[in-house]
Every structure is written in C-alpha cells, then in structure tokens.
Amino acid sequence: MEQFPLGLTGDCAYESSIASYDPGDLFVLLSDGVIETEDSQGAEFGFTGVERVVVGHGTEPLKEIMNRLMKELEKFGNRTDDQTILLIRALA
C-alpha cells in the first residue's frame, strides 16, 4: 500500500518500494540536519560521517549507537537545524 511520505507536500514526486532485510539489519532514518552539520571549515558531516559511526558500532545496542552518533555530531560542528534520528533493528 502506498502512503504519502511524512513531511512532503502534494507537489513533490517520490517512489515507493519494498526493501528486503535480514534479522539484525539496522535501518537508520534521519533528518537533513544530521548530514548537513558543518565543521568550522564548512565541510558537512554527511552520510559518510553517519556511515562511519553506524558501521563501526552497528552491533551495539541502539542506545549506544545513538549516543556515539550524537557525540560525533557534537564534536564535529554546531547544530543549526533539527537533528532527528530513528534507529530500527530488524528482529525477524
């Protein structure tokens, strides 16, 4: 069943699809304020910053992954936008 994505307006285009996963896989949903966090030189944390933390600590409890990610963001740069992160681990 297709649903309208949260946060989009009626004039946006999007695709709906089904993703396969295995038990233990980790889904990371985040707002643009996470990847757009900039350091003092203007470089963005980006998806590579998120990936580095998640891949390096992906087997840890979700709370620990979240804490590590938030610490890395704080060290990296100033918050100028909302930073929303949702971690979901597939159990079955």
Side-chain angles (χ1 to χ4, degrees):
M1 175 173 66
E2 291 187 20
Q3 297 292 321
F4 193 74
L6 183 65
L8 293 183
T9 60
D11 60 344
C12 293
Y14 68 94
E15 291 185 30
S16 177
S17 62
I18 296 173
S20 59
Y21 62 89
D22 292 315
D25 282 356
L26 182 63
F27 291 88
V28 181
L29 291 78
L30 44 85
S31 65
D32 61 349
V34 173
I35 59 173
E36 293 174 355
T37 298
E38 293 183 355
D39 66 11
S40 60
Q41 312 301 306
E44 291 186 345
F45 190 71
F47 288 111
T48 56
V50 174
E51 181 180 18
R52 180 175 36 80
V53 174
V54 171
V55 169
H57 304 283
T59 59
E60 295 177 10
L62 298 182
K63 184 176 181 178
E64 294 301 318
I65 299 169
M66 179 67 75
N67 288 340
R68 287 180 185 276
L69 194 49
M70 294 309 294
K71 278 185 184 178
E72 289 296 318
L73 283 166
E74 288 173 18
K75 286 192 314 189
F76 190 82
N78 294 327
R79 178 184 303 208
T80 59
D81 196 0
D82 69 292
Q83 294 180 333
T84 305
I85 303 169
L86 175 63
L87 302 175
I88 303 169
R89 188 178 318 275
L91 298 179

